[in-house]
Every structure is written in structure tokens, then in C-alpha cells.
Amino acid sequence: MGAMPLRRGIRTRRPLGALPDIVPLLYDPKVGILGEIREHDREAGSPEYFRYVTTAGDTTAFSGHQNFSIGGGGSTSRGIALAKAIGEAIERYAAAVYDRRDYPMVPYDAAPFDCVAPQDFALFDTAQFDDPDFTYQPFNGQSDVRWMPAKSLVSGRIRHVPACFVHLPYLFPRNGDEWPLAQSISTGLACHGSFAQAALGGICEVVERDCFSITWQAMVSRERIRPESLAPAHRDAIRRFVAVGYDVHMMNISHDNRIPTIMTVLCGRRAGNAPLAVAAATDLSPLVAATKSLEELAHTERYVRQLMGELGRIEIEPGHRNVYSQVSHVNFWISPERARHADFLHASPREIDLADLPDRTTGDPAGDLDAVVRAIAGTGHDVLIADLATPDVAALGFHVVRALVPGYHPLYMGYRLRALGGRRLWTVPQALGHPGIDRSTGDNPMPHPFP
């Protein structure tokens, strides 16, 4: 493994480049930030990708609640797959270390500090609250909310946002002293070796989820990217899927900010294949966005196949009340006859070359961060960053952040919990030249796959 061998208990078959310099400081099965690092063996019929899973240490002793501890990553590069899995576990570890009592609880209308207005967030439609079993409450000026500081990268000011939109998991107390506003999700969490790169990664994930969820809910058929226009590395990555019986479709799902966002859809043609898998990625470089989307597709394909072997199929229920989590979303789509309901994603007759998308990279992470912020600000939205690095994570040189773009469309798990509020779902498709949807016709009647 080079000058510093990985410690016993980390399962990997090849040298990992520079990662051994830092991994031994992260890993310890009893007290480490990472308690497990494991490379998945390639299974029969799966594409030729490297895939890793990591498990972060339990944060219960620090915060009184357990973190979402699993990280994962896939790539044609072993080192990149491992780095993705490690970064994801670290960010979920750091995001769970907090004490709710550190954040003042006050309604927006009475807050003595600058807060993002409740109506600026895209959450739920009024009609959703009419369901007596709906989990969450309206977010308004009288809501009892705990606020935490975040920095606006547009104005440079400190603005306060609900702590429940930042930490993961955020558990609302049973005694009802704080209003439950929305599901605790990981969108916008990022870990990297510099602030600019971490912030850029988190913001791009927020953009990606906005693009995917609006594309799905509004049932927009986006323009396809010609396979022959892809770089050799992309064609090689797709070949690995095709070799084991998959069709791969790649679409441009960029929105009004024109930050390149690529979605790939995987359709199985053989018995044992995942019937459907979806992935998306955002980056200022279309080449990088396409690469990341294919890497996420490999990670998702493995997850779908794992659940295919572990779970029984779920039936279609009225209102899809049995589709309420990441696992149940995937389980819904592992019934092959349902895959056709996602065909609209790649049904557009319009085609473009990957090179038709703008490359807005500057060659510098700080410059790229500024370019992304300016692009989002041009759509009328603020960009906020909350610093979540714990002392132990920061001491190792990592930055962990949560990025928020109030008003950008979230991706919630649970069909009944899908966001129907805000304005972007109802206006962005039309602004891009698509028919879109309105509240009288409703959105996609099928629960989204897990991207």
C-alpha cells in the first residue's frame, strides 16, 4: 500500500494513491470517524466499476442521536470511488453532531436577527396539509423554529435558516416545542479539502436535485445527448453497462441558471438486470457532469440490484402511501412492468451534442464557486452556506458544509411528501419551452425513482 499501509479491517485489493496518507487517521473500528471501509466485489452481471461502502462512527455519544452513517461511491477509478464513499460518510457524521438547544427558537415575525423568509422556501402546497395524516406543518411567520446562521454568498451577510434544513438527521421533539417543517434530507451536504470545493459540491447538488425533481414531477422530456458526441472516457463507461445488458440514455436537464446538469437513465434488457436506474450530476464543466452522472449511475445500479435480491415487491396502493422512503422508492421500480412509466425521460426527439452545453469553468475553485453563485443569483435566488465541520474533521483538513438555495425544488422521499409548493415547479418548465403542469392537472402520478 506504499509508505503507510492501510490498517487491518479495511478491505481493498489495490494501492489507493495518496489516500493512505489520510485514511489511517480517519479509520478505527471502535473510535474512528470511519469504522468500516469496504470494497464491493463485482457481482456476476454487474458493470465493470469499482464500488465502495463506508460506515461512519456512531454520533450518539456526542449528540444523543445516531447519524446516517453509510457512505458509498462508484467509478471506473478505484481511488475516486473510495474518495466518494469516504467523503459521504464524513459529511453525514459531521452533520449529525449538534445540540438543538444551541439554536434560538423564535417565530420569523419576532426574530431579532436576519432570517430567510418562510415563503422563500419551496415546501408544500396548501392542499397537502388538508390530509389529516400529513406529517408536517405549514412554515409561516408564526412557526416556532430554531434558527442557525449561514453565510450568503450573494450578499456576504449572515442570514439565519431553520436548523432542520441544515443538520442531518434533524429529529423534531415529541413534546411539540418546535414545528416539524419538512423531511430531513442530505441534499447540499458536501465534504472536501477546501472551502471553495466543498461549497461548490454542495451547491451543485442542490442544482441537480432541482433539475431532476422538476423534470420528473412536471414529466418533461428533455433533449437527449448524442452518444457519438461524448468523450472517449464516457463511451468507455457506457460500454461497461451495455456489455452486461443495459441501455443507457443521457439527457441535458439544465435549468434557467444554465449550469450543466446531466441525467442518465439505465434500462435493463436481461433477466437479473435492474429494470430502471436514474442518476444525475451538475458541474460547470459538461464533461465532468457527464462523468459524475455515469459514476452515480453505477452506484445506484448496484443499490437497485441489492434490493432486488433482498426485498419482496410492493404493490401499487392508492396515493402510493406505501412509497415513503428511499428504499420503498427503489422497491417500487424494481417491478419491470413499471419501468415504462419512466420512458418519457428519454422520449424527446430533440438531440444535442455534449459540446453544445456551455463550459463555465474558470480553472480555479474560487472562481468556479463565484461563477455558480452568480448564475444562481441571476435566477433571483440566494445561495447560503452553513459550516458543519466538527473539530476532529477540521483538524484533518476537511471542510464540511451544507448548501441551501431557498426556492430551489427539493427532492423528498415519499410520494405524499413530494414538494408541491414554491414557484419553480409551476414556472420553470414553461420558461424552458415545455408545456409544464398546473395545479388543476397535478404532477406526475408515479413516485420518482431514486437518483
Side-chain angles (χ1 to χ4, degrees), residues 207-265:
V207 172
E208 171 227 309
R209 298 300 168 88
D210 174 79
C211 291
F212 170 77
S213 47
I214 290 176
T215 295
W216 179 265
Q217 286 184 241
M219 298 188 71
V220 179
S221 297
R222 309 300 299 268
E223 56 197 6
R224 295 181 290 118
I225 297 174
R226 297 183 185 93
E228 59 270 20
S229 74
L230 298 174
H234 300 141
R235 294 197 294 271
D236 174 66
I238 291 174
R239 175 194 59 78
R240 297 169 190 244
F241 290 108
V242 173
V244 292
Y246 286 110
D247 291 328
V248 179
H249 306 276
M250 183 175 285
M251 278 69 63
N252 166 37
I253 62 170
S254 309
H255 275 171
D256 47 352
N257 52 49
R258 301 187 70 235
I259 302 172
T261 302
I262 303 295
M263 175 175 63
T264 49
V265 176

Short mmCIF file of all heavy atoms in Angstrom, two decimals, residues 207-265:
data_model
loop_
_atom_site.label_atom_id
_atom_site.label_comp_id
_atom_site.label_asym_id
_atom_site.label_seq_id
_atom_site.Cartn_x
_atom_site.Cartn_y
_atom_site.Cartn_z
N VAL A 207 -28.55 22.21 -7.13
CA VAL A 207 -28.99 22.47 -8.50
C VAL A 207 -29.44 21.18 -9.17
O VAL A 207 -30.49 21.13 -9.85
CB VAL A 207 -27.85 23.13 -9.31
CG1 VAL A 207 -28.22 23.23 -10.79
CG2 VAL A 207 -27.51 24.50 -8.74
N GLU A 208 -28.67 20.12 -8.98
CA GLU A 208 -29.01 18.83 -9.59
C GLU A 208 -30.38 18.34 -9.14
O GLU A 208 -31.20 17.89 -9.96
CB GLU A 208 -27.94 17.80 -9.22
CG GLU A 208 -28.27 16.37 -9.60
CD GLU A 208 -28.01 15.40 -8.46
OE1 GLU A 208 -26.91 15.42 -7.90
OE2 GLU A 208 -28.93 14.62 -8.13
N ARG A 209 -30.65 18.43 -7.83
CA ARG A 209 -31.93 17.94 -7.32
C ARG A 209 -33.09 18.80 -7.82
O ARG A 209 -34.19 18.29 -8.07
CB ARG A 209 -31.90 17.88 -5.80
CG ARG A 209 -30.84 16.92 -5.25
CD ARG A 209 -31.07 15.50 -5.72
NE ARG A 209 -29.96 14.62 -5.47
CZ ARG A 209 -29.76 13.91 -4.34
NH1 ARG A 209 -30.61 14.03 -3.35
NH2 ARG A 209 -28.73 13.11 -4.23
N ASP A 210 -32.87 20.10 -7.93
CA ASP A 210 -33.89 20.98 -8.50
C ASP A 210 -34.20 20.56 -9.94
O ASP A 210 -35.37 20.45 -10.33
CB ASP A 210 -33.37 22.42 -8.45
CG ASP A 210 -34.28 23.42 -9.15
OD1 ASP A 210 -35.29 23.82 -8.55
OD2 ASP A 210 -33.95 23.81 -10.30
N CYS A 211 -33.15 20.30 -10.70
CA CYS A 211 -33.35 19.91 -12.10
C CYS A 211 -34.06 18.57 -12.22
O CYS A 211 -35.00 18.40 -13.02
CB CYS A 211 -32.00 19.84 -12.82
SG CYS A 211 -31.19 21.43 -13.07
N PHE A 212 -33.62 17.58 -11.43
CA PHE A 212 -34.23 16.26 -11.55
C PHE A 212 -35.67 16.26 -11.07
O PHE A 212 -36.57 15.73 -11.75
CB PHE A 212 -33.45 15.21 -10.77
CG PHE A 212 -34.20 13.91 -10.68
CD1 PHE A 212 -34.25 13.04 -11.76
CD2 PHE A 212 -34.93 13.58 -9.53
CE1 PHE A 212 -34.99 11.87 -11.71
CE2 PHE A 212 -35.68 12.41 -9.47
CZ PHE A 212 -35.70 11.55 -10.56
N SER A 213 -35.93 16.82 -9.89
CA SER A 213 -37.28 16.70 -9.33
C SER A 213 -38.30 17.47 -10.17
O SER A 213 -39.44 16.99 -10.36
CB SER A 213 -37.31 17.16 -7.87
OG SER A 213 -36.65 18.37 -7.68
N ILE A 214 -37.93 18.62 -10.72
CA ILE A 214 -38.87 19.33 -11.58
C ILE A 214 -39.07 18.57 -12.89
O ILE A 214 -40.20 18.46 -13.40
CB ILE A 214 -38.38 20.77 -11.83
CG1 ILE A 214 -38.50 21.59 -10.54
CG2 ILE A 214 -39.17 21.43 -12.96
CD1 ILE A 214 -37.97 23.00 -10.65
N THR A 215 -37.99 18.02 -13.46
CA THR A 215 -38.12 17.21 -14.67
C THR A 215 -39.07 16.06 -14.45
O THR A 215 -39.95 15.77 -15.28
CB THR A 215 -36.75 16.68 -15.11
OG1 THR A 215 -35.92 17.78 -15.49
CG2 THR A 215 -36.87 15.72 -16.29
N TRP A 216 -38.94 15.38 -13.30
CA TRP A 216 -39.80 14.23 -13.02
C TRP A 216 -41.23 14.65 -12.73
O TRP A 216 -42.18 14.14 -13.32
CB TRP A 216 -39.25 13.42 -11.84
CG TRP A 216 -40.13 12.26 -11.53
CD1 TRP A 216 -41.12 12.19 -10.59
CD2 TRP A 216 -40.17 11.00 -12.22
NE1 TRP A 216 -41.77 10.97 -10.64
CE2 TRP A 216 -41.20 10.23 -11.63
CE3 TRP A 216 -39.42 10.46 -13.26
CZ2 TRP A 216 -41.48 8.93 -12.06
CZ3 TRP A 216 -39.71 9.17 -13.70
CH2 TRP A 216 -40.73 8.42 -13.09
N GLN A 217 -41.41 15.58 -11.81
CA GLN A 217 -42.77 15.93 -11.39
C GLN A 217 -43.56 16.59 -12.51
O GLN A 217 -44.77 16.38 -12.63
CB GLN A 217 -42.72 16.84 -10.16
CG GLN A 217 -42.34 16.10 -8.88
CD GLN A 217 -42.39 16.99 -7.65
OE1 GLN A 217 -41.39 17.19 -6.99
NE2 GLN A 217 -43.56 17.51 -7.34
N ALA A 218 -42.90 17.38 -13.35
CA ALA A 218 -43.59 18.02 -14.47
C ALA A 218 -43.62 17.13 -15.71
O ALA A 218 -44.16 17.54 -16.75
CB ALA A 218 -42.93 19.36 -14.80
N MET A 219 -43.01 15.94 -15.63
CA MET A 219 -42.97 14.98 -16.72
C MET A 219 -42.46 15.61 -18.01
O MET A 219 -43.07 15.53 -19.08
CB MET A 219 -44.36 14.35 -16.94
CG MET A 219 -44.86 13.58 -15.74
SD MET A 219 -46.39 12.66 -16.04
CE MET A 219 -45.78 11.35 -17.11
N VAL A 220 -41.30 16.26 -17.89
CA VAL A 220 -40.69 16.95 -19.02
C VAL A 220 -39.73 16.01 -19.74
O VAL A 220 -38.83 15.43 -19.13
CB VAL A 220 -39.93 18.20 -18.55
CG1 VAL A 220 -39.28 18.90 -19.74
CG2 VAL A 220 -40.87 19.15 -17.82
N SER A 221 -39.90 15.85 -21.04
CA SER A 221 -38.97 15.07 -21.85
C SER A 221 -37.85 16.00 -22.30
O SER A 221 -38.06 16.91 -23.10
CB SER A 221 -39.69 14.47 -23.07
OG SER A 221 -40.69 13.58 -22.68
N ARG A 222 -36.66 15.77 -21.77
CA ARG A 222 -35.54 16.67 -22.01
C ARG A 222 -34.72 16.21 -23.22
O ARG A 222 -34.72 15.03 -23.58
CB ARG A 222 -34.65 16.75 -20.77
CG ARG A 222 -35.40 17.07 -19.48
CD ARG A 222 -36.14 18.41 -19.55
NE ARG A 222 -35.25 19.52 -19.77
CZ ARG A 222 -34.69 20.24 -18.80
NH1 ARG A 222 -34.94 19.94 -17.52
NH2 ARG A 222 -33.89 21.25 -19.08
N GLU A 223 -34.00 17.14 -23.81
CA GLU A 223 -33.24 16.82 -25.02
C GLU A 223 -32.14 15.81 -24.73
O GLU A 223 -31.47 15.87 -23.70
CB GLU A 223 -32.64 18.11 -25.60
CG GLU A 223 -31.78 18.89 -24.63
CD GLU A 223 -31.55 20.31 -25.09
OE1 GLU A 223 -32.14 20.71 -26.11
OE2 GLU A 223 -30.76 21.02 -24.44
N ARG A 224 -31.99 14.86 -25.65
CA ARG A 224 -31.02 13.78 -25.50
C ARG A 224 -29.65 14.22 -26.01
O ARG A 224 -29.55 15.02 -26.94
CB ARG A 224 -31.51 12.54 -26.24
CG ARG A 224 -32.79 11.96 -25.62
CD ARG A 224 -33.27 10.72 -26.33
NE ARG A 224 -33.78 11.03 -27.66
CZ ARG A 224 -33.27 10.57 -28.79
NH1 ARG A 224 -32.21 9.76 -28.76
NH2 ARG A 224 -33.80 10.88 -29.96
N ILE A 225 -28.62 13.67 -25.41
CA ILE A 225 -27.25 13.97 -25.83
C ILE A 225 -26.76 12.85 -26.74
O ILE A 225 -26.85 11.67 -26.40
CB ILE A 225 -26.34 14.11 -24.60
CG1 ILE A 225 -26.80 15.30 -23.75
CG2 ILE A 225 -24.88 14.27 -25.02
CD1 ILE A 225 -26.07 15.45 -22.44
N ARG A 226 -26.31 13.21 -27.91
CA ARG A 226 -25.86 12.22 -28.90
C ARG A 226 -24.67 11.44 -28.34
O ARG A 226 -23.66 12.03 -27.95
CB ARG A 226 -25.46 12.90 -30.21
CG ARG A 226 -26.61 13.62 -30.91
CD ARG A 226 -26.15 14.22 -32.23
NE ARG A 226 -27.21 15.00 -32.85
CZ ARG A 226 -27.36 16.32 -32.67
NH1 ARG A 226 -26.49 16.98 -31.92
NH2 ARG A 226 -28.34 16.97 -33.26
N PRO A 227 -24.77 10.11 -28.33
CA PRO A 227 -23.66 9.31 -27.80
C PRO A 227 -22.33 9.56 -28.51
O PRO A 227 -21.28 9.54 -27.89
CB PRO A 227 -24.14 7.87 -27.99
CG PRO A 227 -25.62 7.96 -28.05
CD PRO A 227 -25.92 9.28 -28.70
N GLU A 228 -22.40 9.80 -29.82
CA GLU A 228 -21.16 10.00 -30.57
C GLU A 228 -20.47 11.31 -30.22
O GLU A 228 -19.29 11.51 -30.57
CB GLU A 228 -21.43 9.94 -32.08
CG GLU A 228 -22.42 10.96 -32.60
CD GLU A 228 -23.87 10.47 -32.58
OE1 GLU A 228 -24.17 9.52 -31.83
OE2 GLU A 228 -24.67 11.04 -33.34
N SER A 229 -21.18 12.21 -29.51
CA SER A 229 -20.56 13.48 -29.12
C SER A 229 -19.84 13.39 -27.79
O SER A 229 -19.20 14.36 -27.37
CB SER A 229 -21.62 14.57 -29.05
OG SER A 229 -22.44 14.42 -27.90
N LEU A 230 -19.93 12.24 -27.13
CA LEU A 230 -19.31 12.08 -25.81
C LEU A 230 -17.81 11.85 -25.93
O LEU A 230 -17.31 11.41 -26.97
CB LEU A 230 -19.96 10.92 -25.07
CG LEU A 230 -21.46 11.06 -24.77
CD1 LEU A 230 -21.99 9.78 -24.16
CD2 LEU A 230 -21.72 12.24 -23.86
N ALA A 231 -17.11 12.11 -24.85
CA ALA A 231 -15.66 11.89 -24.81
C ALA A 231 -15.39 10.38 -24.75
O ALA A 231 -16.26 9.59 -24.35
CB ALA A 231 -15.06 12.57 -23.58
N PRO A 232 -14.19 9.96 -25.16
CA PRO A 232 -13.86 8.52 -25.11
C PRO A 232 -14.08 7.90 -23.73
O PRO A 232 -14.54 6.76 -23.65
CB PRO A 232 -12.38 8.50 -25.51
CG PRO A 232 -12.21 9.69 -26.39
CD PRO A 232 -13.11 10.74 -25.81
N ALA A 233 -13.78 8.63 -22.67
CA ALA A 233 -13.98 8.07 -21.32
C ALA A 233 -15.45 7.82 -21.05
O ALA A 233 -15.81 6.84 -20.38
CB ALA A 233 -13.39 9.01 -20.27
N HIS A 234 -16.32 8.70 -21.55
CA HIS A 234 -17.76 8.49 -21.37
C HIS A 234 -18.23 7.26 -22.15
O HIS A 234 -19.03 6.46 -21.64
CB HIS A 234 -18.54 9.72 -21.85
CG HIS A 234 -18.20 10.98 -21.12
ND1 HIS A 234 -18.10 12.20 -21.76
CD2 HIS A 234 -17.92 11.21 -19.82
CE1 HIS A 234 -17.80 13.13 -20.88
NE2 HIS A 234 -17.67 12.55 -19.69
N ARG A 235 -17.76 7.14 -23.38
CA ARG A 235 -18.19 6.00 -24.18
C ARG A 235 -17.69 4.69 -23.57
O ARG A 235 -18.39 3.67 -23.62
CB ARG A 235 -17.68 6.17 -25.62
CG ARG A 235 -18.32 7.36 -26.34
CD ARG A 235 -18.14 7.27 -27.85
NE ARG A 235 -16.75 7.40 -28.25
CZ ARG A 235 -16.15 8.54 -28.52
NH1 ARG A 235 -16.83 9.68 -28.44
NH2 ARG A 235 -14.88 8.58 -28.89
N ASP A 236 -16.50 4.73 -22.97
CA ASP A 236 -16.00 3.53 -22.29
C ASP A 236 -16.86 3.20 -21.09
O ASP A 236 -17.17 2.03 -20.82
CB ASP A 236 -14.55 3.75 -21.85
CG ASP A 236 -14.03 2.60 -21.00
OD1 ASP A 236 -13.88 1.48 -21.54
OD2 ASP A 236 -13.79 2.81 -19.79
N ALA A 237 -17.27 4.22 -20.34
CA ALA A 237 -18.12 3.98 -19.17
C ALA A 237 -19.46 3.39 -19.58
O ALA A 237 -19.98 2.47 -18.94
CB ALA A 237 -18.32 5.29 -18.41
N ILE A 238 -20.04 3.90 -20.67
CA ILE A 238 -21.32 3.38 -21.15
C ILE A 238 -21.15 1.95 -21.65
O ILE A 238 -22.02 1.09 -21.44
CB ILE A 238 -21.88 4.31 -22.24
CG1 ILE A 238 -22.31 5.63 -21.62
CG2 ILE A 238 -23.04 3.65 -22.98
CD1 ILE A 238 -22.73 6.69 -22.62
N ARG A 239 -20.02 1.68 -22.32
CA ARG A 239 -19.77 0.32 -22.81
C ARG A 239 -19.84 -0.70 -21.67
O ARG A 239 -20.31 -1.83 -21.88
CB ARG A 239 -18.38 0.27 -23.46
CG ARG A 239 -17.93 -1.12 -23.91
CD ARG A 239 -16.46 -1.16 -24.21
NE ARG A 239 -15.63 -0.78 -23.06
CZ ARG A 239 -15.38 -1.60 -22.04
NH1 ARG A 239 -15.91 -2.82 -21.99
NH2 ARG A 239 -14.61 -1.19 -21.05
N ARG A 240 -19.42 -0.32 -20.50
CA ARG A 240 -19.42 -1.24 -19.36
C ARG A 240 -20.85 -1.63 -18.96
O ARG A 240 -21.08 -2.74 -18.49
CB ARG A 240 -18.67 -0.62 -18.18
CG ARG A 240 -17.20 -0.36 -18.48
CD ARG A 240 -16.55 0.51 -17.41
NE ARG A 240 -15.22 0.94 -17.82
CZ ARG A 240 -14.09 0.61 -17.21
NH1 ARG A 240 -14.13 -0.18 -16.14
NH2 ARG A 240 -12.93 1.05 -17.64
N PHE A 241 -21.78 -0.71 -19.13
CA PHE A 241 -23.18 -1.03 -18.87
C PHE A 241 -23.77 -1.87 -20.00
O PHE A 241 -24.47 -2.86 -19.75
CB PHE A 241 -24.01 0.26 -18.71
CG PHE A 241 -23.73 1.05 -17.47
CD1 PHE A 241 -23.04 2.25 -17.54
CD2 PHE A 241 -24.16 0.60 -16.23
CE1 PHE A 241 -22.80 2.99 -16.40
CE2 PHE A 241 -23.92 1.33 -15.09
CZ PHE A 241 -23.22 2.53 -15.17
N VAL A 242 -23.50 -1.47 -21.23
CA VAL A 242 -24.05 -2.17 -22.39
C VAL A 242 -23.58 -3.62 -22.42
O VAL A 242 -24.34 -4.54 -22.77
CB VAL A 242 -23.66 -1.44 -23.69
CG1 VAL A 242 -24.08 -2.25 -24.91
CG2 VAL A 242 -24.31 -0.05 -23.72
N ALA A 243 -22.34 -3.86 -21.99
CA ALA A 243 -21.76 -5.21 -22.03
C ALA A 243 -22.52 -6.20 -21.16
O ALA A 243 -22.44 -7.41 -21.39
CB ALA A 243 -20.29 -5.16 -21.61
N VAL A 244 -23.24 -5.71 -20.15
CA VAL A 244 -23.98 -6.62 -19.27
C VAL A 244 -25.49 -6.48 -19.45
O VAL A 244 -26.27 -6.89 -18.58
CB VAL A 244 -23.59 -6.41 -17.79
CG1 VAL A 244 -22.16 -6.84 -17.55
CG2 VAL A 244 -23.80 -4.96 -17.35
N GLY A 245 -25.91 -5.91 -20.60
CA GLY A 245 -27.32 -5.96 -20.95
C GLY A 245 -28.14 -4.73 -20.67
O GLY A 245 -29.37 -4.82 -20.56
N TYR A 246 -27.51 -3.56 -20.57
CA TYR A 246 -28.25 -2.34 -20.30
C TYR A 246 -28.26 -1.42 -21.51
O TYR A 246 -27.31 -1.38 -22.30
CB TYR A 246 -27.63 -1.57 -19.13
CG TYR A 246 -27.88 -2.20 -17.77
CD1 TYR A 246 -26.84 -2.81 -17.07
CD2 TYR A 246 -29.14 -2.17 -17.19
CE1 TYR A 246 -27.05 -3.36 -15.82
CE2 TYR A 246 -29.36 -2.73 -15.94
CZ TYR A 246 -28.32 -3.32 -15.26
OH TYR A 246 -28.54 -3.88 -14.02
N ASP A 247 -29.34 -0.63 -21.62
CA ASP A 247 -29.37 0.53 -22.49
C ASP A 247 -29.15 1.76 -21.62
O ASP A 247 -29.68 1.85 -20.50
CB ASP A 247 -30.73 0.65 -23.20
CG ASP A 247 -30.94 -0.44 -24.22
OD1 ASP A 247 -29.94 -0.89 -24.81
OD2 ASP A 247 -32.11 -0.86 -24.39
N VAL A 248 -28.37 2.71 -22.12
CA VAL A 248 -28.07 3.93 -21.38
C VAL A 248 -28.52 5.14 -22.19
O VAL A 248 -28.16 5.27 -23.36
CB VAL A 248 -26.56 4.04 -21.06
CG1 VAL A 248 -26.26 5.33 -20.31
CG2 VAL A 248 -26.09 2.84 -20.24
N HIS A 249 -29.31 6.01 -21.56
CA HIS A 249 -29.77 7.23 -22.20
C HIS A 249 -29.23 8.41 -21.38
O HIS A 249 -29.27 8.40 -20.15
CB HIS A 249 -31.29 7.29 -22.23
CG HIS A 249 -31.94 6.09 -22.84
ND1 HIS A 249 -32.10 5.95 -24.20
CD2 HIS A 249 -32.43 4.95 -22.28
CE1 HIS A 249 -32.69 4.79 -24.46
NE2 HIS A 249 -32.90 4.17 -23.30
N MET A 250 -28.75 9.42 -22.08
CA MET A 250 -28.19 10.60 -21.41
C MET A 250 -28.91 11.84 -21.90
O MET A 250 -29.07 12.05 -23.10
CB MET A 250 -26.69 10.70 -21.67
CG MET A 250 -26.01 11.86 -20.96
SD MET A 250 -24.20 11.86 -21.18
CE MET A 250 -23.73 10.52 -20.09
N MET A 251 -29.38 12.67 -20.93
CA MET A 251 -30.15 13.87 -21.26
C MET A 251 -29.56 15.11 -20.60
O MET A 251 -28.97 15.03 -19.53
CB MET A 251 -31.61 13.71 -20.78
CG MET A 251 -32.49 12.91 -21.72
SD MET A 251 -32.07 11.15 -21.78
CE MET A 251 -32.37 10.65 -20.09
N ASN A 252 -29.78 16.24 -21.25
CA ASN A 252 -29.46 17.55 -20.66
C ASN A 252 -30.69 18.02 -19.89
O ASN A 252 -31.74 18.27 -20.49
CB ASN A 252 -29.11 18.55 -21.76
CG ASN A 252 -29.11 19.99 -21.25
OD1 ASN A 252 -28.69 20.25 -20.12
ND2 ASN A 252 -29.57 20.90 -22.08
N ILE A 253 -30.59 18.17 -18.59
CA ILE A 253 -31.73 18.64 -17.80
C ILE A 253 -31.42 19.97 -17.13
O ILE A 253 -32.00 20.32 -16.11
CB ILE A 253 -32.19 17.59 -16.76
CG1 ILE A 253 -31.09 17.28 -15.74
CG2 ILE A 253 -32.66 16.31 -17.45
CD1 ILE A 253 -31.60 16.44 -14.55
N SER A 254 -30.50 20.74 -17.72
CA SER A 254 -30.14 22.04 -17.17
C SER A 254 -31.36 22.96 -17.13
O SER A 254 -32.25 22.88 -17.98
CB SER A 254 -29.04 22.69 -18.01
OG SER A 254 -27.96 21.81 -18.21
N HIS A 255 -31.36 23.85 -16.13
CA HIS A 255 -32.48 24.76 -15.97
C HIS A 255 -32.10 26.20 -16.31
O HIS A 255 -31.14 26.45 -17.04
CB HIS A 255 -33.03 24.66 -14.55
CG HIS A 255 -34.01 23.55 -14.38
ND1 HIS A 255 -34.49 23.15 -13.16
CD2 HIS A 255 -34.60 22.73 -15.29
CE1 HIS A 255 -35.34 22.15 -13.32
NE2 HIS A 255 -35.42 21.88 -14.61
N ASP A 256 -32.82 27.15 -15.75
CA ASP A 256 -32.69 28.55 -16.11
C ASP A 256 -31.34 29.15 -15.76
O ASP A 256 -30.93 30.16 -16.35
CB ASP A 256 -33.81 29.39 -15.48
CG ASP A 256 -34.02 29.08 -14.00
OD1 ASP A 256 -33.41 28.13 -13.49
OD2 ASP A 256 -34.80 29.81 -13.36
N ASN A 257 -30.61 28.55 -14.83
CA ASN A 257 -29.29 29.09 -14.48
C ASN A 257 -28.21 28.65 -15.48
O ASN A 257 -27.08 29.12 -15.40
CB ASN A 257 -28.89 28.67 -13.07
CG ASN A 257 -29.01 27.17 -12.85
OD1 ASN A 257 -28.52 26.38 -13.65
ND2 ASN A 257 -29.68 26.79 -11.77
N ARG A 258 -28.53 27.71 -16.35
CA ARG A 258 -27.64 27.22 -17.41
C ARG A 258 -26.37 26.59 -16.86
O ARG A 258 -25.35 26.54 -17.53
CB ARG A 258 -27.32 28.33 -18.41
CG ARG A 258 -28.54 28.92 -19.10
CD ARG A 258 -28.19 29.90 -20.21
NE ARG A 258 -27.61 29.17 -21.35
CZ ARG A 258 -26.44 29.46 -21.88
NH1 ARG A 258 -25.68 30.41 -21.36
NH2 ARG A 258 -25.98 28.79 -22.92
N ILE A 259 -26.43 26.07 -15.65
CA ILE A 259 -25.32 25.29 -15.11
C ILE A 259 -25.49 23.87 -15.63
O ILE A 259 -26.54 23.25 -15.40
CB ILE A 259 -25.31 25.31 -13.58
CG1 ILE A 259 -25.22 26.74 -13.06
CG2 ILE A 259 -24.14 24.49 -13.04
CD1 ILE A 259 -25.38 26.88 -11.56
N PRO A 260 -24.53 23.31 -16.34
CA PRO A 260 -24.72 22.00 -16.97
C PRO A 260 -25.13 20.92 -15.97
O PRO A 260 -24.47 20.69 -14.96
CB PRO A 260 -23.34 21.70 -17.57
CG PRO A 260 -22.75 23.04 -17.84
CD PRO A 260 -23.21 23.90 -16.70
N THR A 261 -26.25 20.29 -16.26
CA THR A 261 -26.77 19.20 -15.43
C THR A 261 -27.16 18.05 -16.35
O THR A 261 -27.94 18.24 -17.29
CB THR A 261 -27.98 19.65 -14.60
OG1 THR A 261 -27.58 20.76 -13.78
CG2 THR A 261 -28.48 18.53 -13.71
N ILE A 262 -26.60 16.90 -16.08
CA ILE A 262 -26.77 15.72 -16.94
C ILE A 262 -27.51 14.63 -16.17
O ILE A 262 -27.18 14.34 -15.01
CB ILE A 262 -25.41 15.17 -17.39
CG1 ILE A 262 -24.60 16.25 -18.12
CG2 ILE A 262 -25.59 13.94 -18.28
CD1 ILE A 262 -25.18 16.72 -19.41
N MET A 263 -28.50 14.03 -16.80
CA MET A 263 -29.20 12.88 -16.24
C MET A 263 -28.94 11.66 -17.12
O MET A 263 -28.99 11.76 -18.35
CB MET A 263 -30.70 13.14 -16.16
CG MET A 263 -31.51 11.94 -15.68
SD MET A 263 -33.26 12.33 -15.47
CE MET A 263 -33.74 12.74 -17.16
N THR A 264 -28.65 10.54 -16.51
CA THR A 264 -28.53 9.29 -17.25
C THR A 264 -29.58 8.31 -16.73
O THR A 264 -29.86 8.26 -15.53
CB THR A 264 -27.13 8.67 -17.11
OG1 THR A 264 -26.76 8.65 -15.72
CG2 THR A 264 -26.11 9.46 -17.88
N VAL A 265 -30.16 7.57 -17.64
CA VAL A 265 -31.19 6.58 -17.32
C VAL A 265 -30.72 5.22 -17.82
O VAL A 265 -30.30 5.09 -18.97
CB VAL A 265 -32.54 6.95 -17.96
CG1 VAL A 265 -33.58 5.86 -17.68
CG2 VAL A 265 -33.02 8.30 -17.43
#
